[in-house]
Amino acid sequence: MNIFVLTGAGISAESGLGTFRERGGLWSRFDPARLATPEAFAADAEEVHAFYNLRRQGVRAAAPNAAHRALARLQKELAGRGGRLFLCTQNVDDLHERGGAAAVMHMHGEILRARCLACTAATPWAEDLSVATPCPSCGRAGGMRPDVVWFGEVPLHLDAIEAGLAESDLFVAIGTSGAVYPAAGFVARARRLGLPTHEINLDPSDTADAFHTAAYGPATETVPAWVEGVLAGPRPR
Ligand code: APR
């Protein structure tokens, strides 16, 4: 059996990383137009760097939680049964990987990588970035940016995501509000492909009506319970 899982900020919430659109969420405290667009970076790179430096430090201080670990277990168990877990995340943190998952499709990029605008080289990057930071590949300063996908930029891995959906028997969304496309459209794509669809979230998302089934509650409880059910039963919920 192949399962396609899409995750959002909610799966990392109990690891202490904030979500975006809930009360007190990141976008209620910071203006994404001033911090998460190419135009914002061109206008004031240092302000954008300061915002991502704080987020990068938060990711480094966070630890994967039971939900991340449960998905990693599911990935290994499915592989052992000749199946696959396609794991796609909107999150830029590395908690899926630190929780034991592999081949994670980061469709919004990764905050622990930096990319040079001058030579396009991408580099693992855990430290603070500034306008003065020289590119480790070409040596030029002024062009290093967080290797994340900003609003108005094209998400990554879209071909691999489409291929994964087409090869899957079930689509599950975990911890996402369903507010941002193209990710929010994956459930409709899955339904057109004839897949059963399941939502796991703290509360119903903007696309809740598109899912055949759902389980609501904190991901550290609902995700391990769902994985147990999948691994114990002949068919996932
Ligand atoms: N367990 C499960 N779900 C949770 C938890 C939790 N402990 N805490 C919050 N949630 C749910 C919320 O109910 C909400 O529906 O996680 C969801 C988070 O929604 P958003 O903050 O909108 O985050 P996300 O859906 O990942 O945003 C998508 O928007 O700004 C862009 O690039 C950014 O990747 C992000 C994208």
Side-chain angles (χ1 to χ4, degrees):
M1 164 192 299
N2 297 337
I3 300 177
F4 191 105
V5 170
L6 167 70
T7 65
I11 200 169
S12 297
E14 290 163 89
S15 294
L17 297 185
T19 59
F20 294 92
R21 291 172 186 82
E22 292 183 284
R23 191 193 324 272
L26 222 51
W27 298 147
S28 67
R29 291 178 284 124
F30 297 98
D31 178 1
R34 287 188 52 208
L35 295 166
T37 65
E39 295 77 15
F41 189 69
D44 189 344
E46 282 304 9
E47 185 182 24
V48 173
H49 280 313
F51 175 66
Y52 282 91
N53 289 343
L54 273 179
R55 290 187 64 197
R56 188 179 299 106
Q57 291 157 21
V59 168
R60 290 178 58 198
N65 63 51
H68 298 107
R69 289 193 295 273
L71 289 182
R73 177 184 170 223
L74 177 62
Q75 188 173 52
K76 293 180 179 68
E77 290 282 344
L78 286 179
R81 303 178 188 188
R84 265 186 82 173
L85 174 72
F86 295 95
L87 182 50
C88 173
T89 186
Q90 300 171 89
N91 301 339
V92 295
D93 64 60
D94 64 339
L95 297 185
H96 280 303
E97 289 87 350
R98 281 198 272 149
V104 181
M105 294 181 274
H106 284 273
M107 65 182 292
H108 291 164
E110 299 171 71
I111 200 167
L112 292 179
R113 291 173 64 81
R115 178 158 50 87
C116 175
L117 290 175
C119 72
T120 74
T123 314
W125 200 276
E127 308 306 321
D128 285 358
L129 269 177
S130 84
V131 171
T133 306
C135 167
S137 295
C138 72
R140 275 170 278 186
M144 292 295 279
R145 60 165 278 183
D147 197 14
V148 299
V149 176
W150 282 327
F151 289 103
E153 295 185 319
V154 178
L156 307 173
H157 308 297
L158 294 182
D159 291 344
I161 290 165
E162 174 61 24
L165 284 168
E167 285 180 50
S168 291
D169 306 294
L170 170 68
F171 174 79
V172 182
I174 300 173
T176 181
S177 62
V180 173
Y181 286 79
F186 290 175
V187 58
R189 178 69 185 131
R191 291 188 70 121
R192 282 196 300 277
L193 290 166
L195 272 62
T197 58
H198 185 60
E199 175 170 77
I200 299 176
N201 210 47
L202 193 61
D203 44 45
S205 72
D206 295 356
T207 53
D209 294 346
F211 288 87
H212 295 101
T213 57
Y216 296 117
T220 54
E221 295 166 17
T222 49
V223 177
W226 171 69
V227 167
E228 283 295 337
V230 170
L231 295 178
R235 292 277 310 156
R237 281 198 50 220

